[in-house]
């Protein structure tokens, strides 16, 4: 189905109110794990996008070589250069992740073995703590090499592009003859209900927990079995820009991360009425992040056309959010 008014109203429920009653951190604390020697822009774009969408604090967990460039991009970000090749840093990661609501794994991660090892370690710690997760870019590469890392963890959203989705589909054994509109759901089912955000001309978002293994998926994700099975496919038609520049996927992962951070705050009782089940939060966050990112891209393209770059998109996020959710401020402030 396409995005309906009822669906948008559900998404609005996990958007924190701007009523002056929440203290710092109750509108979301996001972590981005990435930032290898050659990739410093991607984690910056993801983390700053989460803040532009509206979370309170963004942390970047990166290699020491990437830390200084990232710090120079913005003083708003908290940078932790703890991914040193010669150390394990398990205690540091455990302590840091315990203070966050969501972890985005992959922007600028790279494929060096020590960075992939840190990503696997962080993912396991995040799962133990019941955090929401976003996997993108080389985070998807990591998961594809060891599918059991993510299989059945229903608090995760995977955001593959065309090439990454094809590779992931093959890794989970999806028949290539499966109709295009059904593939995202099939991948989600094969991974035990993990939410898939298939990027493309239209974004296709699917969560499918049908079949064997659903009980295990509930237990692994700390979701009540009473929430039942889920099989939902949503197509996001929000027009995007007509130029695809490098970095737009990082804005998406940060935006989805922001909505998931809000979902965790909602789950924890910081705001809201606790009527949205946890199992539904990943698909709502994926739809919200997709819509805001696509609208951001279009606003930037309308101004810059062929010259648009990702930095042009950053300053459009706030306006794009208001375009997509025009009543969120007023309704949530009552």
């Amino acid at each position: 189905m396409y995005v309906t008014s009822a669906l948008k109203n559900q998404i609005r429920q996990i958007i924190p109110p701007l009523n002056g009653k929440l203290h710092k951190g109750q509108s979301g604390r996001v972590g981005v794990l990435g930032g290898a020697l050659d990739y410093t822009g991607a984690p910056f774009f993801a983390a700053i996008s989460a803040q532009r969408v509206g979370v309170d604090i963004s942390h970047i967990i990166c290699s020491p070589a990437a830390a200084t460039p990232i710090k120079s991009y913005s003083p708003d970000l908290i940078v932790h250069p703890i991914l040193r090749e010669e150390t394990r840093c398990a205690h540091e990661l455990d302590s840091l992740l315990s203070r966050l609501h969501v972890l985005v794994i992959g922007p600028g991660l790279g494929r060096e073995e020590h960075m992939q090892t840190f990503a696997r370690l962080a993912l396991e710690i995040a799962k133990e703590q019941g955090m929401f997760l976003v996997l993108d870019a080389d985070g998807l590469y990591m998961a594809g090499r060891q599918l059991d890392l993510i299989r059945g963890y229903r608090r995760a959203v995977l955001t593959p592009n065309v090439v990454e989705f094809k590779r992931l589909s093959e890794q989970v054994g999806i028949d290539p003859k499966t109709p295009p509109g059904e593939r995202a759901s099939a991948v989600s089912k094969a991974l035990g209900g993990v939410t898939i955000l298939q990027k493309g001309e239209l974004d296709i978002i699917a969560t499918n927990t049908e079949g064997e293994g659903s009980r295990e998926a509930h237990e692994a994700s700390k979701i009540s079995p009473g929430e039942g099975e889920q099989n939902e496919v949503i197509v996001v038609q929000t027009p995007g820009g007509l130029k695809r520049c490098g970095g737009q996927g990082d804005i998406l992962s940060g935006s989805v991360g922001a909505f998931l951070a809000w979902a965790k705050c909602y789950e924890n009782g910081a705001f809201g009425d606790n009527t949205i089940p946890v199992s539904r939060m990943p698909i709502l966050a994926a739809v919200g992040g997709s819509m805001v990112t696509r609208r951001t891209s279009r606003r930037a393209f309308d101004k810059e056309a062929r010259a648009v770059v990702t930095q042009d998109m950053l300053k459009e996020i706030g306006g794009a959010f208001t375009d997509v959710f025009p009543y969120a401020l007023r309704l949530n402030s009552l």
Side-chain angles (χ1 to χ4, degrees):
M1 72 173 185
Y2 297 112
V3 179
T4 63
S5 296
L7 182 63
K8 289 183 71 173
N9 285 335
Q10 281 195 313
I11 297 171
R12 287 190 185 98
Q13 291 185 56
I14 63 171
I15 298 173
L18 291 175
N19 56 12
K21 296 181 180 180
L22 298 179
H23 60 70
K24 184 175 68 175
Q26 288 187 311
S27 288
R29 298 185 294 270
V30 172
V32 176
L33 191 141
L37 175 62
D38 296 327
Y39 305 107
T40 59
F44 163 74
F45 285 133
I48 201 67
S49 295
Q51 285 202 283
R52 290 286 190 177
V53 170
V55 303
D56 290 338
I57 305 169
S58 284
H59 298 251
I60 294 179
I61 307 166
C62 63
S63 70
T68 298
I70 293 172
K71 286 181 179 180
S72 73
Y73 299 152
S74 173
D76 291 294
L77 305 176
I78 302 172
V79 182
H80 306 270
I82 63 175
L83 305 184
R84 305 177 187 89
E85 186 170 0
E86 67 278 5
T87 63
R88 283 279 290 170
C89 72
H91 176 73
E92 292 172 283
L93 278 173
D94 186 72
S95 176
L96 175 55
L97 297 188
S98 70
R99 307 197 300 271
L100 305 179
H101 296 116
V102 63
L103 182 63
V104 181
I105 300 176
L109 178 66
R111 298 186 181 182
E112 296 173 282
E113 191 52 44
H114 74 282
M115 293 295 287
Q116 291 279 311
T117 298
F118 285 132
R120 288 191 293 269
L121 175 62
L123 189 149
E124 293 288 6
I125 293 171
K127 286 165 57 179
E128 290 174 3
Q129 296 183 4
M131 294 178 68
F132 287 106
L133 290 167
V134 181
L135 267 66
D136 187 36
D138 286 324
L140 294 171
Y141 173 80
M142 169 199 68
R145 295 171 67 197
Q146 193 175 341
L147 292 172
D148 284 344
L149 285 171
I150 200 68
R151 182 179 277 119
Y153 192 68
R154 293 180 57 191
R155 289 176 180 260
V157 177
L158 276 55
T159 61
N161 60 25
V162 173
V163 175
E164 292 162 342
F165 183 76
K166 180 178 183 296
R167 182 173 63 231
L168 184 62
S169 298
E170 293 169 349
Q171 288 167 333
V172 299
I174 300 303
D175 187 339
K177 296 180 181 178
T178 303
E182 299 176 12
R183 289 177 188 165
S185 181
V187 173
S188 175
K189 182 177 180 179
L191 288 174
V194 171
T195 296
I196 304 296
L197 197 171
Q198 179 186 354
K199 297 182 284 193
E201 184 177 356
L202 300 176
D203 288 349
I204 301 174
I205 301 166
T207 304
N208 188 340
T209 66
E210 293 181 340
E212 296 181 5
S214 59
R215 179 174 297 277
E216 289 80 1
H218 279 93
E219 293 173 353
S221 307
K222 299 179 175 60
I223 292 174
S224 169
E227 294 189 15
E229 291 186 343
Q230 189 177 359
N231 184 3
E232 190 169 5
V233 178
I234 299 170
V235 179
V236 178
Q237 292 181 297
T238 305
L242 301 181
K243 180 191 174 187
R244 278 283 302 164
C245 51
Q248 186 167 323
D250 304 311
I251 289 182
L252 175 64
S253 63
S255 298
V256 174
F259 278 89
L260 284 174
W262 291 341
K264 187 65 174 179
C265 294
Y266 178 94
E267 179 188 3
N268 290 344
F271 61 88
D273 58 9
N274 200 33
T275 59
I276 303 295
V278 174
S279 60
R280 188 155 176 76
M281 291 179 183
I283 200 166
L284 295 179
V287 172
S290 170
M291 294 174 70
V292 170
T293 301
R294 293 175 71 91
R295 180 58 185 155
T296 297
S297 172
R298 189 52 175 253
R299 285 173 62 104
F301 178 81
D302 286 346
K303 292 181 179 180
E304 303 293 340
R306 195 179 300 276
V308 70
V309 295
T310 305
Q311 289 192 71
D312 298 321
M313 293 180 62
L314 295 179
K315 54 194 176 187
E316 301 297 334
I317 293 174
F321 187 93
T322 302
D323 290 345
V324 175
F325 298 104
Y327 305 112
L329 171 60
R330 179 169 63 84
L331 292 177
N332 286 359
S333 298
L334 295 178

